[in-house]
């Protein structure tokens, strides 16, 4: 069991949980993830490790409240526990001195981009962070990203905060303005696709971190398979990061929708039960 | 006169009933039936059946105890060399092992050794709902085991009995490996697996769950941490694909994913359990092994109208156990033999709607000795399906070996290990089960785990590699 140290919503739909996982905290490197299972009946979901405190034995997870599991997570309190946390899983990000690195995070993708930006900075890169959200209330971790880079550009789709722009527009301007050696993009699949399209013609190495549906996280089930450069790769053990110029994003979008109706049913029944028992939603 | 008693049949849930539930299909012997069956054993002085058992159970010995009504004594005999008798009594292919060599089989039917093993193990479980807690004294020497499947559990049990302090590292949240994620509830109730594992824990075996060796920590790290020897039993957890167009459509699963969702994650009880699974109405399972039968029978229980086994050779070449094929046929699974898939067809949303297949005929024998299937030109036809399960086998999972310096592997990814000692090319490291043999059976993995444990004991006592 993994005791929760703190858990709160940091925007209207993003939660931040600090939870005990000493082994993960000790070993994790930027870009890696864990798979957690809340309780005996829970599903296994992958989440990027955003921060870790090896001394305290804790890790920090950010999650978007979209389905039953993340809803249930958002209702947990300090002192409660997560039953299972497996990890670290996946390959760490290939952190080295590239020169200038642009880290692009969209929506909940800002959380996993954060440790990568920080590690890129520490490796001696000039780091430009571009973060975006639909609207001001959904924007997360602005302060962290400001500290983890040389420049921060904040965008909202509706212009309610920062620039009124998509992250791709901001990225384009940076690319027009200066030489960039690597781009790392994490966020909704259409965003990662758009970023990759933008950098492809310019020949700029672009890494994306994929959020495929997973179960075991050890390459055993094959459920997280994606097509990269025409070949079948497993996000859990071959990724989660891949060359954005080679990923079949359209297929990934389709596969992410596999259980949409089941997910809705699960969430609806959970919310109904909560109402019956008078649990207040965060 | 023993010869006049026919081989006793185990009662089963009737097909029309069992195809709608996940309860176990064979129901076990009653004590009377078990004693009657046990009395058929002629207690050979030199029992050939034992030669057919990978863990060398004293078969006449435990059967004699059943015959005499000493069911718990029978269990003790089993447990001496077999850490998981309740499992083996259910999933071992006895017809090609012990029972095939039974002397009675020469003229009539062999003794139902598997059914008797199951009976004795089940008696013990009923008698003592909590396994005994009597850890053997420790010799202070730590050993590590990677993977808690049949090979790892067996090695752990044997090593603990010999006094070692055993730690198992398991990647998933539940120990048991293929016994919990692969084999369905209706063939091996999970409660039995949990019981066998509790028995090991009560013997003093430590199991660390959710720990994937080969990512943050390697085999060398374990040796550095004071584990004096390591056994790798990480299994054949790398699914093979058909490599035909459309295999990434929604509705195409590997058998590993399908069975893991249903067995380990209990998706058959969705939404009470959170993990969903696609419930196909028309389902095709590709392959002819036990895993294919498991997947097909699972699909039926999840409410499918039509379930097909699509296999490229004929019934004769099918690698599944006869009993599994019989169970599947009785339940209404349709066998499309001499049929090979060519491509999956999807709709605009990327959902599977059909599979195109070719009829095959049998040609010359191939490397496996089986006649190889050859496509019949122009015989294309389609089957409308909304769920496909690819059950054509597994390669070894590469995570552990790819980070272990000095550990030799074959082209197929199996770890090279000595057949009798299970020693790898790396000092202090042993391996066994599917990761060495390629995908095989539970009992062969257990046999390897037992051999490895004895060789590890020898190595740790003498220091000679």
């Amino acid at each position: 069991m993994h005791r929760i140290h703190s858990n709160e919503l940091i925007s209207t739909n993003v939660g931040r949980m600090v939870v005990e996982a000493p082994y993960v905290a000790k070993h994790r490197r930027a870009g890696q993830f864990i798979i957690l299972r809340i309780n005996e009946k829970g599903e296994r979901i992958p989440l990027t490790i955003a921060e870790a405190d090896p001394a305290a034995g804790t890790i920090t997870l950010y999650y978007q409240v979209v389905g039953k599991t993340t809803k249930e997570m958002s209702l947990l309190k300090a002192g409660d526990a997560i039953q299972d946390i497996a990890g670290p899983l996946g390959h760490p990000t290939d952190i080295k001195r590239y020169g200038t690195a642009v880290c692009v995070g969209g929506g909940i993708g800002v959380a996993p981009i954060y440790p990568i930006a920080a590690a890129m900075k520490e490796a001696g890169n000039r780091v430009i962070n571009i973060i975006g959200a639909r609207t001001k209330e959904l924007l997360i971790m602005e302060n962290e990203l400001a500290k983890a880079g040389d420049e921060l550009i904040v965008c909202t789709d509706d212009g309610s905060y920062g620039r009124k722009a998509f992250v791709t527009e901001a990225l384009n301007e940076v690319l027009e303005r200066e030489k960039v050696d690597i781009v790392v993009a994490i966020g909704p699949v259409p965003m990662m696709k758009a970023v990759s399209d933008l950098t492809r013609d310019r020949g700029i190495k672009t890494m994306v971190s994929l959020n495929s549906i997973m179960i075991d996280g050890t390459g055993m089930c094959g459920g997280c398979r994606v097509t990269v450069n025409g070949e079948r790769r497993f996000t859990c053990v071959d990724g989660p990061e891949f060359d954005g110029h080679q990923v079949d994003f359209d297929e990934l979008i389709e596969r992410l929708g596999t259980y949409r109706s089941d997910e809705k049913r699960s969430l609806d029944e959970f919310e109904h039960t909560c109402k019956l028992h008078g649990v207040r939603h965060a | 006169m023993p010869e006049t008693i026919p081989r006793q049949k185990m009662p089963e849930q009737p097909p029309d009933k069992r195809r709608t539930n996940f309860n176990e299909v064979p129901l076990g012997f009653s004590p009377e039936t078990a004693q009657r069956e046990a009395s058929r054993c002629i207690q050979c002085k030199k029992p050939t059946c034992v030669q057919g058992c990978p863990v060398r159970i004293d078969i006449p010995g435990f059967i004699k105890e059943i015959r005499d009504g000493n069911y718990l004594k029978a269990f003790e005999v089993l447990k001496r060399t077999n850490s998981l008798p309740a499992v083996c009594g259910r999933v071992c292919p006895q017809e090609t092992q012990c029972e095939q060599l039974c002397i009675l089989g020469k003229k009539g039917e062999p003794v139902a050794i598997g059914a008797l093993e199951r009976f004795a193990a089940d008696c013990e479980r009923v008698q003592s709902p909590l396994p005994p807690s009597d850890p053997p004294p420790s010799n202070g020497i730590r050993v590590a085991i990677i993977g808690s499947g049949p090979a790892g559990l067996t090695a752990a049990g044997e090593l603990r009995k010999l006094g070692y302090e055993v730690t198992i590292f398991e990647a998933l949240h539940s120990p048991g490996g293929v016994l919990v994620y692969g084999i369905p509830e209706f063939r091996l109730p999970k409660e039995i697996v949990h019981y066998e594992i509790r028995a090991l824990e009560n013997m003093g075996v430590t199991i660390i769950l959710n720990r994937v060796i080969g990512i943050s920590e390697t085999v060398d790290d374990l040796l550095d941490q004071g584990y004096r020897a390591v056994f790798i039993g990480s299994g054949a957890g790398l699914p093979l694909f058909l490599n035909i167009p459309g295999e990434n459509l929604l509705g195409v699963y590997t058998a590993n994913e399908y069975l893991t969702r249903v067995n380990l994650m209990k998706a058959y009880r969705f939404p009470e359990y959170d993990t969903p699974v696609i419930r196909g109405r028309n389902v095709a399972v590709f392959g002819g092994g036990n895993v294919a039968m498991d997947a097909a029978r699972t699909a039926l229980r999840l409410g499918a109208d039509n379930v097909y086994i699509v296999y490229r050779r004929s019934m004769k070449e099918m690698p599944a156990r006869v009993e599994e094929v019989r169970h599947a046929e009785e339940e209404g699974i349709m066998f499309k033999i001499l049929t090979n898939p060519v491509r999956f067809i999807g709709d605009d949303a990327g959902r599977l709607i059909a599979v195109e297949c070719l009829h095959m005929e049998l040609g010359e024998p191939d490397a496996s000795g089986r006649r190889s299937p050859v496509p019949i030109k122009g015989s294309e036809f389609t089957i409308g399906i909304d769920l496909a399960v690819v059950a054509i086998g597994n390669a070894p999972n590469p995570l552990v070996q790819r980070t272990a310096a000095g550990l030799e592997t074959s082209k197929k990814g199996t770890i090279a290990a000595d057949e009798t000692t299970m020693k790898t090319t790396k000092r202090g490291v042993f391996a066994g089960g599917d990761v060495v043999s390629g995908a095989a059976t539970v009992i062969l993995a257990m046999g390897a785990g037992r051999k490895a444990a004895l060789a590890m004991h020898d190595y740790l006592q003498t220091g000679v590699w």
Side-chain angles (χ1 to χ4, degrees), chain B residues 159-174:
Chain B
L159 286 163
R160 190 67 270 281
K161 273 191 250 171
L162 292 165
Y164 295 93
E165 292 187 11
V166 180
T167 304
I168 303 181
F169 298 96
E170 166 54 47
L172 292 172
H173 59 253
S174 178

Side-chain angles (χ1 to χ4, degrees), chain B residues 69-148:
Chain B
N70 305 321
Y71 306 142
L72 294 185
K73 276 196 178 153
F75 175 79
E76 281 166 27
V77 174
L78 286 169
K79 201 78 181 177
R80 251 183 253 147
T81 59
N82 184 347
S83 325
L84 313 168
V87 173
C88 289
R90 289 172 166 82
V91 303
C92 265
Q94 292 96 8
E95 64 279 7
T96 61
Q97 299 184 148
C98 52
E99 292 183 17
Q100 189 180 37
L101 297 175
C102 173
I103 211 85
L104 292 190
K106 291 216 157 69
K107 282 185 182 161
E109 289 205 274
V111 175
I113 300 169
L116 289 172
E117 179 181 28
R118 170 185 161 151
F119 170 79
D122 287 357
C123 281
E124 195 264 351
R125 217 171 47 257
V126 171
Q127 290 271 327
S128 39
L130 284 173
S133 186
D134 51 349
S138 163
N139 64 11
I141 301 174
R142 294 163 71 208
V143 294
I145 291 181
I146 302 172
S148 67

Side-chain angles (χ1 to χ4, degrees), chain B residues 360-371:
Chain B
M360 312 291 277
E361 58 191 352
L362 290 180
E364 297 300 308
D366 65 8
S368 73
R370 295 178 297 180
R371 290 179 65 191

Side-chain angles (χ1 to χ4, degrees), chain A residues 29-35 46 48 88-94 116 186 207-212 214 217-219 224-228 231-244 247 252, chain B residues 214-215 398-399 402:
Chain A
R29 289 159 67 192
Q32 289 186 305
F33 64 95
I34 54 104
I35 287 183
T48 306
L89 298 169
H91 287 289
T93 309
D94 187 12
I116 296 170
I186 309 181
M207 300 304 291
V208 293
S209 181
L210 306 184
N211 56 336
S212 314
M214 293 183 192
T218 66
C224 66
R225 62 193 184 270
V226 287
T227 303
V228 180
E231 286 175 19
R232 178 177 47 246
R233 306 294 296 279
F234 293 163
T235 304
C236 66
V237 289
D238 299 325
E241 290 176 17
F242 294 101
D243 180 342
V247 171
L252 176 63
Chain B
I215 294 182
L399 278 185
R402 79 180 180 195

Side-chain angles (χ1 to χ4, degrees), chain B residues 1-236:
Chain B
M1 290 297 285
E3 291 91 315
T4 59
I5 301 171
R7 178 175 160 118
Q8 301 297 298
K9 284 204 166 52
M10 195 187 288
E12 293 176 344
Q13 274 200 75
D16 57 334
K17 187 175 161 215
R18 71 187 192 229
R19 53 177 289 174
T20 61
N21 68 52
F22 275 84
N23 301 335
E24 194 171 14
V25 169
L27 301 170
F29 277 161
S30 65
E32 299 73 35
T33 316
Q35 278 186 290
R36 202 175 306 132
E37 181 63 27
S39 72
R40 294 180 65 230
C41 175
I42 57 171
Q43 296 288 319
C44 301
K45 287 255 164 4
K46 288 183 184 167
T48 47
C49 53
V50 179
Q51 302 306 312
C53 175
V55 296
R56 300 283 182 269
I57 292 174
D58 175 5
I59 294 169
F62 95 82
I63 291 181
K64 180 171 172 296
E65 297 296 352
I66 294 179
R67 187 196 67 195
D68 298 344
N70 305 321
Y71 306 142
L72 294 185
K73 276 196 178 153
F75 175 79
E76 281 166 27
V77 174
L78 286 169
K79 201 78 181 177
R80 251 183 253 147
T81 59
N82 184 347
S83 325
L84 313 168
V87 173
C88 289
R90 289 172 166 82
V91 303
C92 265
Q94 292 96 8
E95 64 279 7
T96 61
Q97 299 184 148
C98 52
E99 292 183 17
Q100 189 180 37
L101 297 175
C102 173
I103 211 85
L104 292 190
K106 291 216 157 69
K107 282 185 182 161
E109 289 205 274
V111 175
I113 300 169
L116 289 172
E117 179 181 28
R118 170 185 161 151
F119 170 79
D122 287 357
C123 281
E124 195 264 351
R125 217 171 47 257
V126 171
Q127 290 271 327
S128 39
L130 284 173
S133 186
D134 51 349
S138 163
N139 64 11
I141 301 174
R142 294 163 71 208
V143 294
I145 291 181
I146 302 172
S148 67
L153 292 177
T154 303
E158 297 298 330
L159 286 163
R160 190 67 270 281
K161 273 191 250 171
L162 292 165
Y164 295 93
E165 292 187 11
V166 180
T167 304
I168 303 181
F169 298 96
E170 166 54 47
L172 292 172
H173 59 253
S174 178
V178 74
L179 305 176
V180 291
Y181 76 72
I183 302 177
E185 181 78 13
F186 56 83
R187 208 149 72 77
L188 178 64
K190 298 309 143 219
E191 197 40 53
I192 290 169
V193 182
H194 299 325
Y195 181 89
E196 306 259 28
I197 287 162
R198 262 199 308 278
L200 283 174
E201 286 178 321
N202 286 355
M203 273 172 68
V205 171
T206 303
I207 303 178
I208 298 181
L209 299 172
N210 298 310
R211 181 67 52 86
V212 186
I213 302 298
I215 294 182
S216 298
E217 289 182 299
T218 64
V219 169
D220 284 297
D221 291 328
L222 296 179
L223 292 168
D224 289 345
Q225 287 163 20
Y227 294 103
R228 298 266 306 279
V230 176
F231 175 77
I232 305 172
S234 49

Side-chain angles (χ1 to χ4, degrees), chain B residues 121-429:
Chain B
D122 287 357
C123 281
E124 195 264 351
R125 217 171 47 257
V126 171
Q127 290 271 327
S128 39
L130 284 173
S133 186
D134 51 349
S138 163
N139 64 11
I141 301 174
R142 294 163 71 208
V143 294
I145 291 181
I146 302 172
S148 67
L153 292 177
T154 303
E158 297 298 330
L159 286 163
R160 190 67 270 281
K161 273 191 250 171
L162 292 165
Y164 295 93
E165 292 187 11
V166 180
T167 304
I168 303 181
F169 298 96
E170 166 54 47
L172 292 172
H173 59 253
S174 178
V178 74
L179 305 176
V180 291
Y181 76 72
I183 302 177
E185 181 78 13
F186 56 83
R187 208 149 72 77
L188 178 64
K190 298 309 143 219
E191 197 40 53
I192 290 169
V193 182
H194 299 325
Y195 181 89
E196 306 259 28
I197 287 162
R198 262 199 308 278
L200 283 174
E201 286 178 321
N202 286 355
M203 273 172 68
V205 171
T206 303
I207 303 178
I208 298 181
L209 299 172
N210 298 310
R211 181 67 52 86
V212 186
I213 302 298
I215 294 182
S216 298
E217 289 182 299
T218 64
V219 169
D220 284 297
D221 291 328
L222 296 179
L223 292 168
D224 289 345
Q225 287 163 20
Y227 294 103
R228 298 266 306 279
V230 176
F231 175 77
I232 305 172
S234 49
L238 182 72
L240 301 179
F241 286 82
L242 291 160
N243 293 315
I244 60 174
E247 213 161 9
N248 291 349
L249 288 168
L250 316 190
V252 183
Y253 280 131
T254 66
N256 285 1
E257 179 174 8
Y258 187 56
L259 293 173
T260 299
R261 281 181 180 277
V262 177
N263 300 331
L264 177 72
M265 305 309 298
K266 300 206 168 13
Y268 66 95
R269 290 166 68 177
F270 178 87
E272 181 199 352
Y273 282 74
D274 290 340
T275 305
V277 66
I278 298 170
R279 291 174 182 244
R281 301 228 70 92
N282 297 290
V283 183
V285 177
F286 301 88
N290 290 328
V291 174
M293 302 304 139
D294 285 346
R297 297 171 67 197
T298 296
L300 205 62
R301 284 159 173 76
L302 288 174
D305 297 327
N306 299 294
V307 182
Y308 310 100
I309 289 273
V310 178
Y311 181 56
R312 62 199 183 119
R313 303 180 203 245
S314 74
M315 293 303 280
K316 215 176 84 194
E317 287 81 19
M318 212 169 259
R321 289 183 67 192
V322 173
E323 181 183 271
E324 303 308 327
V325 175
R326 174 176 67 81
H327 279 149
E329 279 181 321
E330 285 171 359
E331 289 168 14
I333 307 284
M334 289 169 274
F335 286 75
K336 292 200 174 283
I337 52 161
L338 290 164
T339 302
N340 207 27
V342 187
R343 65 182 176 111
F344 292 110
I345 301 165
D347 65 11
D348 292 341
R351 285 196 183 268
L352 176 72
I353 53 171
V355 58
E356 183 180 310
C357 297
L358 269 176
H359 288 298
M360 312 291 277
E361 58 191 352
L362 290 180
E364 297 300 308
D366 65 8
S368 73
R370 295 178 297 180
R371 290 179 65 191
S372 61
V374 184
I376 301 173
K377 267 192 193 145
S379 65
E380 288 88 350
F381 67 103
T382 57
I383 314 173
I385 52 169
D386 51 3
L387 179 63
V389 181
V390 179
I392 56 168
N394 277 279
N397 190 296
L399 278 185
V400 175
Q401 50 272 42
R402 79 180 180 195
T403 55
L407 194 71
E408 258 178 43
T409 53
S410 75
K411 254 188 217 158
K412 286 183 174 171
T414 52
I415 296 176
D418 183 273
E419 267 178 40
T420 50
T421 64
M422 310 318 290
K423 279 182 184 169
T424 67
T425 53
K426 190 176 175 67
R427 188 183 171 93
V429 181

